[in-house]
Amino acid sequence: MLQINLGQAQKLDPLPEPEHFSRRRLTRQYKAKKALVRNVWIAACSLMLINPVLPVILIIALPATLLSFMILDETP
């Protein structure tokens, strides 16, 4: 297929412009944070499966949620 470029410079940066609201979700640092949160939830879920009693589930799930929000906070 033939593409004709009429003077428009192609972007080499795959990220949107810096002002774009979803730019942070495409960065390497954010993807690393998401992987860490996934590991936290895998560990929390395995602990919940070991002892599936509602108070224990709540004791594990609430701090895991707080920890997830702390990790994925928009600060660098």
Side-chain angles (χ1 to χ4, degrees):
M1 181 173 195
L2 178 66
Q3 283 186 324
I4 299 174
N5 190 359
L6 299 175
Q8 295 176 347
Q10 293 181 354
K11 283 185 155 181
L12 297 177
D13 187 15
L15 299 176
E17 52 274 352
E19 306 86 37
H20 199 268
F21 67 93
S22 68
R23 179 182 170 97
R24 67 177 173 86
R25 293 187 302 161
L26 301 173
T27 61
R28 262 186 314 192
Q29 293 88 3
Y30 190 80
K31 290 179 183 179
K33 288 179 182 182
K34 274 182 23 179
L36 179 61
V37 168
R38 185 177 332 124
N39 290 337
V40 166
W41 276 103
I42 288 172
C45 289
S46 63
L47 287 173
M48 286 186 246
L49 287 173
I50 290 172
N51 194 356
V53 179
L54 185 61
V56 174
I57 290 174
L58 291 176
I59 288 172
I60 295 171
L62 292 176
T65 304
L66 176 67
L67 185 61
S68 298
F69 283 133
M70 288 172 47
I71 292 171
L72 290 178
D73 190 18
E74 291 186 29
T75 56

